[in-house]
Amino acid sequence: MRKQSVNHRWFLALGVILLAILIYFLPPVNQRLSWRLDFALAYLRGVINPVGALPTAVPAATAYVPTSQPTAAATAILTSTPTPTAVPLPSPTPIPLSVSLPAPAWEKQDINNCGPATLAMYLRYYGWQGDQFDIASLLKPQRDDRNVNVEELTYYVQNHAGWLNVIYRVGGNLDTLKKLLAAGIPVVIEESFYFDEPFWPNDDLWAAHYNLITGYDDALQIFIGQDSYRGADQSIPYQTLEDYWRTFNHVYLLVYPPQLEGVVQNILGADWDADANRQRALDEAKAETVSKPEDPFAWFNLGSNLVYFERYDEAAAAFDRAREWGLPQRMLRYQFSPFFAYFHTGRVDDLLALSEYALRITPNAEEALLWHGWALYRKGDTAGAIADFENALQQNPGYRDARYALDFVRANP
């Protein structure tokens, strides 16, 4: 009898465990609890393998030595003559003191889903009928994928909402936002975000976030944002938006009907041309490194704009300075231009150090897996590189850069 009682308890316990698993995977329950599981696992990783600060430049890499003085390469950046920036054409009508566009139905983001949720609200402004999960199923099929780039959002609109036009630019400013809003065009910006609780010991709490801007009020000195995390019609002080926006090179995404193309061109002026826009952003970032030489974001923005023009040596020097002054722990979850700079300058040790750090923060980041694979390949570890590229494709089967890398390395072992 005792043995039967013990067996009965085991079967009962097993039944309870199986029932709990089934309940956990019910969509409403999973959406509520999975982020807690994700949080617990991230914290456990941080305890076992402490995150620490983003590493500075590897001492043996090139001739650069971290110092409070500019390196030769960085000095060349600072002392070069900026390209004259064309003055944008004036807006066809005076900018009103306030604008409040009709807000689309607000959508609360799923875990790690601010990009798809924000784009869903943006498209809904123009009558689209989908939701964030339609977008996420293509851009981030893995729910725990923590980042969707502005290029990916652009790709979605081009291929799945082709009746609308879409572009993104960098170097935006508050005046441009107001002109676009006054023309009836909401704007998505990428900005800083701060968590309410740490995901690991000594977490700096910094992350990235998308926000759909639908209005402003000069009297109150605020913009109005449809924030997929905090709620609809959020008031954002002008200075707060500026401070949070600059950490992402003032990047902004525009979606608009084709009949407004001329209006957008007129508002953007010289910035309508992507190369001219980047050159202006580069000049402004360069000037900011002079006025704020200890600001890591100024140096990072400079490096990102230099990478656009494939000026990799100068970009690497700028990223060295950004790393010296200190960047947020999650920076490389969202921005990847340092990987390009260190790869193309042959600074493999830096590429390996940064990609390993990024994977410590975000183990499933397909971009970090890609660049870690390239670093291993440059070091002669073809098998390790292939494993990284395959892992990147498991995280995002549509990641074309990883597919190319895998095909290339298999053909050139």
Side-chain angles (χ1 to χ4, degrees), residues 294-358:
E294 299 182 9
D295 187 329
F297 297 114
W299 287 102
F300 196 97
N301 290 340
L302 177 59
S304 295
N305 293 319
L306 287 165
V307 164
Y308 177 88
F309 291 109
E310 300 181 358
R311 293 164 60 178
Y312 297 118
D313 286 323
E314 296 165 273
F319 290 130
D320 287 348
R321 297 300 301 281
R323 294 162 64 188
E324 178 185 347
W325 294 119
L327 291 164
Q329 294 169 335
R330 294 176 180 82
M331 192 71 166
L332 299 176
R333 175 185 288 180
Y334 311 108
Q335 301 199 63
F336 317 112
S337 48
F339 297 142
F340 285 87
Y342 294 124
F343 176 83
H344 286 288
T345 53
R347 292 176 56 176
V348 181
D349 288 338
D350 278 286
L351 178 60
L352 190 63
L354 287 188
S355 57
E356 286 179 347
Y357 180 85

Side-chain angles (χ1 to χ4, degrees), residues 38 42 45 51 54 111-112 144-149 152 190 193 195 199-200 203-210 248 300 328-339 354-355 357-368:
D38 180 73
R45 285 197 307 269
V51 170
L54 193 145
I111 183 172
N112 305 312
D144 59 353
D145 183 344
R146 289 165 173 77
N147 178 58
V148 173
N149 300 327
E152 294 175 297
E190 189 170 14
F193 175 89
F195 290 111
F199 275 71
W200 49 76
D203 185 358
D204 64 14
L205 305 179
W206 182 91
H209 193 52
Y210 288 106
F248 287 91
F300 196 97
Q329 294 169 335
R330 294 176 180 82
M331 192 71 166
L332 299 176
R333 175 185 288 180
Y334 311 108
Q335 301 199 63
F336 317 112
S337 48
F339 297 142
L354 287 188
S355 57
Y357 180 85
L359 290 170
R360 196 184 314 161
I361 298 287
T362 317
N364 64 327
E366 65 262 33
E367 298 88 357

Side-chain angles (χ1 to χ4, degrees), residues 37-48 198-203:
L37 178 61
D38 180 73
F39 171 85
L41 292 175
Y43 203 92
L44 180 61
R45 285 197 307 269
V47 171
I48 297 172
F199 275 71
W200 49 76
N202 300 314
D203 185 358

Side-chain angles (χ1 to χ4, degrees), residues 135-155:
I135 299 172
S137 65
L138 292 170
L139 298 186
K140 52 180 299 280
Q142 298 291 343
R143 188 167 176 237
D144 59 353
D145 183 344
R146 289 165 173 77
N147 178 58
V148 173
N149 300 327
V150 67
E151 293 90 348
E152 294 175 297
L153 298 178
T154 302
Y155 173 85

Side-chain angles (χ1 to χ4, degrees), residues 23-151:
I23 292 174
Y24 174 79
F25 282 103
L26 290 173
V29 178
N30 185 262
Q31 289 180 13
R32 288 177 177 271
L33 297 182
S34 61
W35 74 272
R36 278 292 177 190
L37 178 61
D38 180 73
F39 171 85
L41 292 175
Y43 203 92
L44 180 61
R45 285 197 307 269
V47 171
I48 297 172
N49 188 13
V51 170
L54 193 145
T56 55
V58 176
T62 70
Y64 173 78
V65 177
T67 172
S68 60
Q69 299 300 318
T71 64
T75 300
I77 299 171
L78 295 176
T79 57
S80 60
T81 303
T83 302
T85 302
V87 178
L89 296 174
S91 180
T93 56
I95 304 175
L97 295 178
S98 66
V99 168
S100 182
L101 300 180
W106 181 76
E107 185 164 352
K108 180 177 177 58
Q109 70 178 71
D110 190 31
I111 183 172
N112 305 312
N113 225 39
C114 73
T118 303
L119 182 59
M121 288 189 285
Y122 202 169
L123 296 178
R124 198 173 294 140
Y125 176 81
Y126 296 111
W128 186 71
Q129 298 298 313
D131 63 22
Q132 62 182 298
F133 301 104
D134 296 314
I135 299 172
S137 65
L138 292 170
L139 298 186
K140 52 180 299 280
Q142 298 291 343
R143 188 167 176 237
D144 59 353
D145 183 344
R146 289 165 173 77
N147 178 58
V148 173
N149 300 327
V150 67
E151 293 90 348

Side-chain angles (χ1 to χ4, degrees), residues 137-310:
S137 65
L138 292 170
L139 298 186
K140 52 180 299 280
Q142 298 291 343
R143 188 167 176 237
D144 59 353
D145 183 344
R146 289 165 173 77
N147 178 58
V148 173
N149 300 327
V150 67
E151 293 90 348
E152 294 175 297
L153 298 178
T154 302
Y155 173 85
Y156 184 88
V157 177
Q158 290 171 335
N159 290 275
H160 299 279
W163 47 280
L164 293 167
N165 289 359
V166 58
I167 63 170
Y168 75 90
R169 294 290 184 265
V170 297
N173 55 56
L174 305 191
D175 189 54
T176 298
L177 286 184
K178 292 179 183 179
K179 290 179 180 179
L180 290 164
L181 292 166
I185 303 170
V187 186
V188 164
I189 65 170
E190 189 170 14
E191 61 181 359
S192 290
F193 175 89
Y194 291 90
F195 290 111
D196 296 325
E197 54 185 327
F199 275 71
W200 49 76
N202 300 314
D203 185 358
D204 64 14
L205 305 179
W206 182 91
H209 193 52
Y210 288 106
N211 208 337
L212 177 63
I213 308 301
T214 59
Y216 68 89
D217 190 317
D218 279 343
L220 298 176
Q221 293 284 288
I222 61 166
F223 282 98
I224 301 169
Q226 309 306 318
D227 190 314
S228 63
Y229 184 84
R230 294 187 173 91
D233 298 325
Q234 295 290 303
S235 296
I236 311 163
Y238 285 173
Q239 190 59 54
T240 299
L241 186 140
E242 167 61 26
D243 291 342
Y244 282 22
W245 192 18
R246 66 182 293 272
T247 59
F248 287 91
N249 207 17
H250 292 97
V251 66
Y252 58 101
L253 177 76
L254 300 179
V255 179
Y256 55 90
Q259 61 267 28
L260 292 182
E261 180 107 325
V263 174
V264 174
Q265 288 185 15
N266 189 45
I267 292 172
L268 297 190
D271 280 346
W272 175 254
D273 179 82
D275 288 349
N277 168 250
R278 280 285 178 169
Q279 184 61 56
R280 182 182 62 76
L282 190 156
D283 292 341
E284 290 182 355
K286 185 186 301 182
E288 194 168 29
T289 62
V290 176
S291 62
K292 302 176 181 178
E294 299 182 9
D295 187 329
F297 297 114
W299 287 102
F300 196 97
N301 290 340
L302 177 59
S304 295
N305 293 319
L306 287 165
V307 164
Y308 177 88
F309 291 109
E310 300 181 358

